[in-house]
Amino acid sequence: MSRFSIIVPTHGVPGRLADCLASVLGQSFTDFELIAVVDAPDGTDRTAEAEGLCAAIVAEHAERDARVRRAASPSDEGLAGARDAGTRAAGGDYLLYLDGDDTLTPGTLEALDARLAETGDPDLLLFDHERVHWFDGSQGPVLQRLWEGAPQGAFGVADHPALPDPLVPAFSAAHRRAFVTRHRLCFAPGMFTDLVWSVGTALRAERIAVLDRVCVRHLLRRQGARNRRPGVHHLDLLDQFDLAMTDATSLGVPAPVLDRVFRRLTHELLKTASTPSRLPSARLRRRFFRGATKAYRLHRPSGFRPPGGSLGVQHRLLAAGAYAGFCALRGAKNRLPALIGPTLRRAGRWLQRRRHPYKAFLKRPVDANLAVFSAYWGRGYACNPAAIHAATRRLAPHIKTVFLVSDAASAALPEGVEGVEIGSTRYWEVMAAAKYTFNNVNFEMAVKKRPGTVHVQTQHGTPLKRMGVDQVDFPAAAAAAGPLGKLLERVDRWDVNISSNHHSTEVWERAYPGAYESLAVGYPRNDAFYSASADDVSAIRKRLGVPDGKIALLYAPTHRDYRTDFATQLDLPAFCDALGEEFVVLLRAHHFYEGSAGLEGIVRSGKLIDVTEHRSPEEVCLASDALITDYSSIMFDYANLDRPIVVYADDWDVYRETRGVYFDLLAEPPGAVARTQEELTAAFRGGAWEGASAGRLRAAFRARFCDLDDGLAAERVVRRVLLGEAAAELPPVVPLSERVPAPAAPRVPQH
């Protein structure tokens, strides 16, 4: 039997779960079991996919550490069901409940064990936690009130006036398992489950002890605590109030203790009733107040005396059901600033748009069958938006589609694709009317996100370099990204965010904190790597001017934030000459440098072909036999082709320090690595670029970053977003071992 059973619900926290598990497994005290509760299989053919990324993270940790055990709970049973499932699976002396996006502080288990021994193994040991703002960091200890005047050793609830405290979360206590089992304790369903649990455990515990130490770092998400967001779920607080008071009364606790419970629970009702942001409609606020009045009258202990001052007046108004009086006392001062500020802002925006056609278009109804697509600020028909657009025309022909382009790119649209020039009157019309919008970057801030519309952020790469809010510690990258506040405003417009692999899902959650749905289905643009035929590859090579029989090397360097001009990092003419006659190099510079005069001087006929401005990077990849890149995300897409990749990392140390990265590429590369031009040339002349070692590295890289791309990504997006199919009903992911990428061009033996 272990000393501690640490129960970690894992639903919906892929970006933080690994840190949570690491904080437990890295404890100096090792006598524990870690029970990770994952979503139970749903019985469909997509069982493995339904378990999700969190289950995969748990499995990876369980394989490395035998102390990690797995339990399952249906996702619709929520946090309460997951904790109860973990409790049933536990075998330790004490139960700790840790949310999957929180962490234990170093030395916590050792400190808890010492305090438990010192106080004779009490039923309940309360300890502190600190709230950690998602961006600003720690906000300090939370439960100092519990330590003030607390007895030195173990005590009962009647001996400490600070208890019971309904605001002590379950993750701020160690619970003796025998105590929990004897009383058949379980978590109440609903949003406010910790309230009933904290009161019920404190009232039943014969021996309680406290530890004045921060043991848990509790993450405050950018979108805020779920139980403080606006909505009808706040009515659940009334049910939890009823449960807690009914339980306390049935236990026959002393009158002073029952009064404490009632007073503190009533305080939570009053806080919600006087916070309009939690109850967003007048009808809902009245409904809540009526329910609170009924609960107050039903459970008010005999002889209870309300507190003095304004709080006592609120008690009396609640007891009387005097909603108008309550609003006059508490509501007006909250509502006035909330009404004035938005009114002034709306007036200002109206003045700015009073002569703009967009204002008139916004008065029209949203067109439920209109979808707008855009890529790279109108550069053309490209990337994930183009792939989803094509799939929409095939799978959802009832949807009218429009692709946004700049004036220069409009002529290059494929036949049959309706293009709209960005900035035109028609542009503002479709942006106001469209039910669905898809973009791989962002729309301008002037575009209004209308209620009921759906914005899909398709992304355009797998993150090696730091992204979003993770860039703040890297000045060059942060400056290029622009103001953080504007970034977060754009994130708030996302309803769906597409992820190409599990690594990206983890990163996006942290780099772009928001309330969107993460759609981990692969990148639609990469479908081409599985649908193209040998004839397609041959035709593309011919269009690009690749000579028959040549080995085409795609050289695709990324942008450097610390530079303002394009630099190939290679002496390309010398490199081409050193390669020999069997090779030809396709140069694709970062799209920032399209049309750059700096490219003209290095392009040489025959051995070097500039494909920077070719519309489709997927076609360029299909035409090549191998990829040379530095830190460009193209390597993650190219790995789907299972063709050689060589990393040329001559400035890795500088890039890593100025841009920031999520993992050490040189320690986990997709193939051979060269740090100098001489090493790069030798890799091709000596065969290391396609040798056995490079193949093993590529296989490991593909297993990690190509786990979702299988040729069906665009279909999944259309079915989920435009056709409204449930995530569990989407086509299952084809296993990596069963996928067949597009074939490379046949090699012609050299004589």
Side-chain angles (χ1 to χ4, degrees):
M1 181 183 295
S2 302
R3 182 60 162 163
F4 298 104
S5 292
I6 303 166
I7 297 164
V8 180
T10 66
H11 179 78
V13 289
R16 304 283 178 175
L17 181 57
D19 290 343
C20 172
L21 301 182
S23 76
V24 176
L25 297 176
Q27 291 285 312
S28 56
F29 185 92
T30 60
D31 186 15
F32 65 84
E33 61 177 0
L34 195 166
I35 301 174
V37 186
V38 302
D39 290 350
D42 59 10
T44 69
D45 291 337
R46 300 185 72 252
T47 295
E49 183 68 12
E51 290 178 354
L53 176 55
C54 290
I57 294 171
V58 170
E60 180 183 346
H61 283 77
E63 186 176 347
R64 296 200 306 257
D65 196 316
R67 295 173 297 178
V68 179
R69 296 175 51 207
R70 171 173 154 159
S73 174
S75 60
D76 59 4
E77 292 187 4
L79 178 63
R83 286 174 171 173
D84 286 340
T87 300
R88 292 191 295 269
D93 294 333
Y94 279 86
L95 306 175
L96 297 175
Y97 299 99
L98 184 66
D99 289 353
D101 52 0
D102 295 344
T103 56
L104 290 184
T105 59
T108 282
L109 297 185
E110 187 173 357
L112 292 180
D113 179 64
R115 182 60 175 161
L116 289 169
E118 180 183 5
T119 54
D121 282 359
D123 295 324
L124 199 61
L125 173 63
L126 305 178
F127 49 79
D128 213 339
H129 67 276
E130 62 178 349
R131 298 189 181 106
V132 181
H133 189 270
W134 69 274
F135 185 70
D136 292 331
S138 174
Q139 296 185 341
V142 175
L143 301 177
Q144 298 98 320
R145 60 187 181 275
L146 296 187
W147 326 134
E148 296 174 3
Q152 291 298 310
F155 55 87
V157 68
D159 300 323
H160 187 21
L163 294 177
D165 186 335
L167 297 184
V168 175
F171 56 73
S172 264
H175 311 78
R176 193 159 62 88
R177 186 170 62 88
F179 159 73
V180 172
T181 302
R182 182 173 71 254
H183 291 284
R184 299 181 180 178
L185 296 175
C186 59
F187 287 87
M191 189 70 72
F192 302 92
T193 184
D194 277 7
L195 180 147
V196 178
W197 177 267
S198 61
V199 172
T201 53
L203 292 177
R204 286 173 172 80
E206 297 177 9
R207 302 177 69 251
I208 303 172
V210 296
L211 173 63
D212 184 3
R213 183 188 192 277
V214 171
C215 295
V216 172
R217 306 187 81 227
H218 176 63
L219 176 70
L220 297 178
R221 295 187 170 204
R222 176 174 172 256
Q223 52 268 43
R226 286 173 290 183
N227 60 5
R228 295 188 179 184
R229 296 178 201 165
V232 70
H233 63 270
H234 285 282
L235 296 176
D236 181 51
L237 181 59
L238 301 174
D239 295 331
Q240 304 292 6
F241 179 97
D242 181 72
L243 282 173
M245 284 304 304
T246 299
D247 184 45
T249 303
S250 69
L251 291 174
V253 298
V257 175
L258 188 62
D259 281 2
R260 285 183 220 156
V261 174
F262 181 75
R263 185 172 64 254
R264 286 166 183 160
L265 291 176
T266 297
H267 187 66
E268 296 308 304
L269 294 183
L270 293 172
K271 277 199 302 186
T272 297
S274 60
T275 309
S277 60
R278 298 185 186 181
L279 302 164
S281 71
R283 182 179 180 182
L284 186 58
R285 289 193 285 274
R286 292 191 189 96
R287 181 181 172 188
F288 181 89
F289 193 86
R290 287 195 300 268
T293 295
K294 180 180 178 181
Y296 188 95
R297 293 171 176 173
L298 177 64
H299 293 291
R300 179 172 49 190
S302 176
F304 175 79
R305 299 184 61 180
S310 173
L311 185 57
V313 175
Q314 292 177 60
H315 271 253
R316 292 178 175 87
L317 291 171
L318 182 63
Y323 180 65
F326 183 83
C327 289
L329 179 67
R330 291 292 302 269
K333 65 180 181 181
N334 292 327
R335 288 199 306 274
L336 190 59
L339 291 173
I340 292 175
T343 300
L344 292 176
R345 288 194 293 272
R346 283 195 295 270
R349 288 195 294 266
W350 179 83
L351 287 172
Q352 292 174 358
R353 293 199 301 263
R354 64 190 186 278
R355 294 188 181 90
H356 199 287
Y358 189 47
K359 175 191 171 185
F361 293 142
L362 287 172
K363 294 180 179 179
R364 299 178 182 177
V366 170
D367 187 342
N369 291 318
L370 175 61
V372 171
F373 300 80
S374 183
Y376 298 116
W377 304 280
R379 281 176 54 238
Y381 192 77
C383 196
N384 292 318
I388 299 169
H389 176 273
T392 300
R393 298 177 71 188
R394 185 178 75 253
L395 299 172
H398 65 286
I399 299 292
K400 178 179 174 57
T401 59
V402 170
F403 215 97
L404 306 179
V405 290
S406 66
D407 178 46
S410 59
L413 284 172
E415 184 178 353
V417 175
E418 180 183 351
V420 169
E421 183 180 340
I422 293 175
S424 66
T425 300
R426 175 63 174 156
Y427 164 78
W428 291 109
E429 182 180 17
V430 297
M431 290 308 299
K435 164 83 172 185
Y436 306 99
T437 53
F438 298 80
N439 206 329
N440 70 346
V441 282
N442 53 75
F443 292 107
E444 57 189 298
M445 297 304 295
V447 172
K448 179 179 176 59
K449 178 71 165 60
R450 299 181 69 180
T453 59
V454 178
H455 177 51
V456 180
Q457 168 56 249
T458 73
Q459 301 292 351
H460 59 273
T462 291
L464 166 63
K465 61 189 177 185
R466 295 275 176 170
M467 303 293 291
V469 300
D470 290 342
Q471 299 177 72
V472 295
D473 293 328
F474 301 91
L484 180 61
K486 294 294 184 184
L487 168 68
L488 296 177
E489 285 183 45
R490 293 193 291 269
V491 171
D492 285 340
R493 300 194 292 194
W494 302 356
D495 296 291
V496 177
N497 183 39
I498 295 177
S499 172
S500 58
N501 47 54
H502 288 158
H503 163 76
S504 295
T505 304
E506 292 184 57
V507 169
W508 296 151
E509 180 182 315
R510 304 178 70 145
Y512 301 114
Y516 50 79
E517 173 190 352
S518 182
L519 193 57
V521 294
Y523 270 164
R525 70 185 185 190
N526 292 343
D527 290 352
F529 296 147
Y530 296 96
S531 62
S533 66
D535 288 342
D536 293 329
V537 171
S538 178
I540 295 169
R541 286 170 68 94
K542 185 174 182 179
R543 287 201 300 271
L544 295 178
V546 179
D548 291 340
K550 296 288 187 180
I551 300 174
L553 305 180
L554 173 59
Y555 176 47
T558 193
H559 167 66
R560 267 78 169 162
D561 294 286
Y562 61 89
R563 298 188 63 123
T564 58
D565 59 334
F566 173 70
T568 64
Q569 305 296 126
L570 276 175
D571 181 345
L572 277 174
F575 178 61
C576 291
D577 288 341
L579 284 175
E581 296 301 320
E582 61 185 310
F583 294 97
V584 62
V585 174
L586 308 179
L587 169 63
R588 188 172 183 85
H590 191 277
H591 65 80
F592 285 176
Y593 305 108
E594 286 186 6
S596 171
L599 299 179
E600 298 173 0
I602 59 176
V603 175
R604 299 175 56 181
S605 176
K607 288 188 175 183
L608 184 61
I609 303 172
D610 181 14
V611 294
T612 299
E613 297 189 32
H614 186 75
R615 179 183 62 82
S616 170
E618 292 75 47
E619 288 191 353
V620 173
C621 290
L622 286 165
S624 65
D625 299 288
L627 170 69
I628 305 171
T629 189
D630 38 32
Y631 326 117
S632 171
S633 65
I634 197 173
M635 73 178 80
F636 301 98
D637 305 303
Y638 196 87
N640 282 282
L641 289 170
D642 200 15
R643 301 179 191 176
I645 302 173
V646 178
V647 174
Y648 177 54
D650 66 317
D651 63 341
W652 169 248
D653 296 330
V654 176
Y655 185 86
R656 179 174 55 186
E657 291 301 318
T658 56
R659 190 58 171 87
V661 295
Y662 286 108
F663 66 94
D664 187 351
L665 177 64
L666 303 197
E668 305 171 84
V673 175
R675 299 298 300 268
T676 67
Q677 182 158 328
E678 291 73 21
E679 290 179 1
L680 182 63
T681 302
F684 284 96
R685 298 303 297 165
W689 65 286
E690 59 177 349
S693 176
R696 287 191 294 271
L697 292 170
R698 185 169 70 252
F701 193 84
R702 294 184 75 231
R704 181 178 180 186
F705 296 110
C706 301
D707 49 319
L708 299 177
D709 282 323
D710 62 355
L712 300 173
E715 177 179 344
R716 293 188 186 101
V717 174
V718 171
R719 292 190 181 280
R720 180 75 183 110
V721 177
L722 299 177
L723 300 180
E725 295 184 10
E729 297 172 354
L730 302 180
V733 175
V734 178
L736 191 63
S737 60
E738 298 177 16
R739 301 176 204 167
V740 181
R747 298 267 187 96
V748 176
Q750 298 294 313
H751 300 289

